[in-house]
Amino acid sequence: MRAVRGMRDILPKDRGIWRVAEKAAADVARRFGYEEIVTPVIEAAELIERVGEDTDAVAKELYRFEDRGGRKLALRPEATAGVVRAYFEGHLNQLPQPARLFLIGPMFRYNRPQKGRYRQFFQLDVEAIGGESPALDAEVIEIAATWLREIGLGDLRMDLNSIGDAKCRPAYLDLLRAYYRPLKDQLHGDCQRRLESNPLLLLDCKVPQCQPFKVDAPRITDHLCEECAAAWTAVRRLLDAAGIEYRHDPYLVRGLDYYTRTVFEFYPANRDGSQDALGGGGRYDGLAEAEGWPATPGVGFASGLDRVTEMMKETGAEVIAAPLAEVLVLADAGLEVAAAEVARICRTAISVAVDYEPKSLRAKMRSANKLGSRWVVLLSASEAGRRVAQLKNMASGEQAEVAWDDLPARLA
Ligand code: AMP
């Protein structure tokens, strides 16, 4: 039996780097006043489908199934829909606003597995729900930038854009359609189809034949309503003041109507744009309503921990060693009770494991060497009777008889 395609184990040797990334995320989030939330990996399929019908993550890649009770369910492909649901269901909307939340957990997408792309992957998700100040957009971006910098990934490029809102976007989309209509025959199939239904996605297209037309396309940031223009200016001013660099990318968009104003994405600095993003986010003032709740603004950020930890490895980020037992207790067969007691005594001061395998002391010593324990406690029947043991320092090779009860002081 093997792991399911696209699913993978994170083995102990790799968990250290994940722990660094997760701990830094929790630290940074807390420093900004964001509290942790956990939502189920299973949601009603309708919740996910209502808010993401046009996206690949939902349209083509959703893990959708019926449970034994005939409920139509989905494994979440992203966190925001569930977090917004929990915000209302848990009455966070009745507390002082905005609710500042973060979540770390697995997401599921039925896509084609490759390096950096898995069917179960993990995200750090940060959301500020219930506030419309552009300062929150900048705050979420600052959290992302701070976290990435603190885990050694400061060398990034951030792309930033505004995609307006329900007030100014429709008129802009008409302009965009008018611009692209005469070029329709020269676009690739998907873009020809999207031209009328969702022209914003034409700007995001990566197919070579569609690229030449982008430069002269109207830019939405030239067609924002007064409120969106003010927010666009405010976000950039706040980022400048925070010392966060960005590049205005007029082609950065989101294809769903409930996304408003700010959109951003983080990429490794020295790679081209076709490289997968390390994270991204934006404002979604129409999302709550799309879920059937009262209209409520929000802004958020999601980053893939699989890719982030992969990059941390490449950049040689410092890893906290896995909590390997610092002391290994080795005893002859039949001395399990004594060995467990010695371990219990040592454990008041230091991490300890006991080698209970039925093999010779010599063989156990070889394993201790391989494991890299700092100390070994050797226990023989005659010594156990006197409540003493041999304590060996693995680095220096020094060995001495020590009373069991003196071990914690010697090891601390
Ligand atoms: P998205 O919700 O598509 O904007 O994804 C947010 C982030 O999650 C991306 O920037 C990636 O870092 C990560 N991500 C998305 N899909 C996958 C996947 N299939 N495997 C690993 N990471 C992913």
Side-chain angles (χ1 to χ4, degrees):
M1 299 287 272
R2 297 196 156 255
V4 172
R5 183 167 151 80
M7 312 277 168
R8 60 178 190 148
D9 308 304
I10 316 286
L11 298 172
K13 70 174 169 58
D14 296 320
R15 260 308 284 172
I17 208 149
W18 281 73
R19 212 167 20 243
V20 173
E22 291 166 1
K23 185 174 176 307
D27 283 353
V28 172
R30 217 162 287 129
R31 270 171 14 229
F32 280 79
Y34 284 65
E35 294 182 294
E36 186 166 17
I37 185 169
V38 176
T39 67
V41 295
I42 297 177
E43 294 281 357
E46 194 192 350
L47 172 81
I48 307 292
E49 283 167 350
R50 264 213 218 175
V51 301
E53 224 155 334
D54 296 349
T55 62
D56 281 355
V58 169
K60 299 183 201 149
E61 301 174 356
L62 193 64
Y63 274 94
R64 202 181 186 288
F65 63 100
E66 266 187 33
D67 72 4
R68 290 166 191 272
R71 296 176 194 86
K72 294 179 170 47
L73 305 175
L75 296 182
R76 63 182 180 194
E78 52 91 46
T80 311
V83 171
V84 168
R85 175 197 55 67
Y87 162 90
F88 287 103
E89 224 178 318
H91 308 298
L92 304 186
N93 58 333
Q94 289 163 23
L95 301 174
Q97 299 297 293
R100 292 181 157 99
L101 305 167
F102 78 96
L103 175 149
I104 296 174
M107 309 295 155
F108 303 85
R109 294 182 192 177
Y110 192 82
N111 46 25
R112 207 170 61 77
Q114 52 190 287
K115 186 169 156 40
R117 178 167 305 169
Y118 309 98
R119 289 181 174 175
Q120 172 177 287
F121 59 100
F122 290 77
Q123 277 188 348
L124 162 65
D125 187 69
V126 173
E127 312 283 355
I129 308 172
E132 57 185 346
S133 168
L136 291 170
D137 306 34
E139 179 175 286
V140 164
I141 291 172
E142 191 174 352
I143 292 175
T146 306
W147 172 60
L148 290 164
R149 191 181 62 237
E150 289 190 7
I151 56 176
L153 304 183
D155 195 17
L156 297 179
R157 188 187 84 224
M158 185 185 57
D159 293 346
L160 182 72
N161 197 19
S162 170
I163 53 169
D165 66 4
K167 195 166 149 196
C168 50
R169 195 158 48 212
Y172 166 73
L173 294 182
D174 283 342
L175 279 176
L176 198 58
R177 283 191 197 96
Y179 168 79
Y180 269 110
R181 265 183 207 124
L183 306 166
K184 186 170 177 182
D185 292 344
Q186 301 172 64
L187 301 173
H188 92 289
D190 275 353
C191 279
Q192 292 195 13
R193 260 190 308 282
R194 289 172 185 151
L195 170 50
E196 296 303 329
S197 62
N198 199 347
L200 217 46
L201 292 179
L202 270 59
L203 298 175
D204 187 42
C205 173
K206 304 284 189 292
V207 175
Q209 81 186 78
C210 300
Q211 300 312 303
F213 313 116
K214 284 186 190 177
V215 252
D216 294 323
R219 297 181 168 196
I220 186 155
T221 41
D222 295 330
H223 301 275
L224 297 174
C225 60
E226 213 175 299
E227 294 85 349
C228 287
W232 173 232
T233 305
V235 169
R236 286 176 299 157
R237 194 183 302 142
L238 283 152
L239 291 176
D240 290 341
I244 295 170
E245 286 180 29
Y246 56 86
R247 199 188 69 163
H248 175 206
D249 177 358
Y251 312 126
L252 183 61
V253 297
R254 291 276 189 274
L256 293 169
D257 285 344
Y258 62 73
Y259 284 111
T260 51
R261 299 182 179 166
T262 310
V263 286
F264 59 94
E265 242 153 39
F266 286 91
Y267 290 92
N270 46 9
R271 303 193 203 175
D272 62 68
S274 62
Q275 168 87 19
D276 280 325
L278 280 174
R283 183 161 273 285
Y284 48 80
D285 290 351
L287 175 66
E289 241 179 330
E291 285 189 12
W293 300 101
T296 305
V299 59
F301 161 77
S303 174
L305 287 170
D306 301 79
R307 285 180 202 167
V308 162
T309 51
E310 203 58 47
M311 250 200 100
M312 287 169 76
K313 267 192 235 161
E314 287 168 23
T315 57
E318 210 174 293
V319 185
I320 298 170
L324 179 76
E326 290 169 284
V327 181
L328 203 61
V329 178
L330 314 181
D332 286 327
L335 291 180
E336 285 80 3
V337 172
E341 184 178 348
V342 168
R344 207 172 297 120
I345 292 168
C346 296
R347 205 167 280 132
T348 58
I350 198 166
S351 59
V352 191
V354 182
D355 188 339
Y356 289 114
E357 295 311 299
K359 58 189 182 194
S360 70
L361 269 182
R362 262 177 77 101
K364 289 188 184 191
M365 203 64 200
R366 272 200 300 274
S367 313
N369 262 319
K370 249 189 221 160
L371 282 171
S373 306
R374 283 169 54 207
W375 302 90
V376 159
V377 175
L378 292 149
L379 211 55
S380 68
S382 64
E383 287 172 324
R386 294 191 289 125
R387 292 181 69 84
V388 297
Q390 295 294 319
L391 176 64
K392 180 167 178 157
N393 180 322
M394 296 297 276
S396 68
E398 274 173 55
Q399 187 171 321
E401 185 181 290
V402 179
W404 291 3
D405 292 327
D406 294 339
L407 282 166
R410 290 288 292 273
L411 293 167

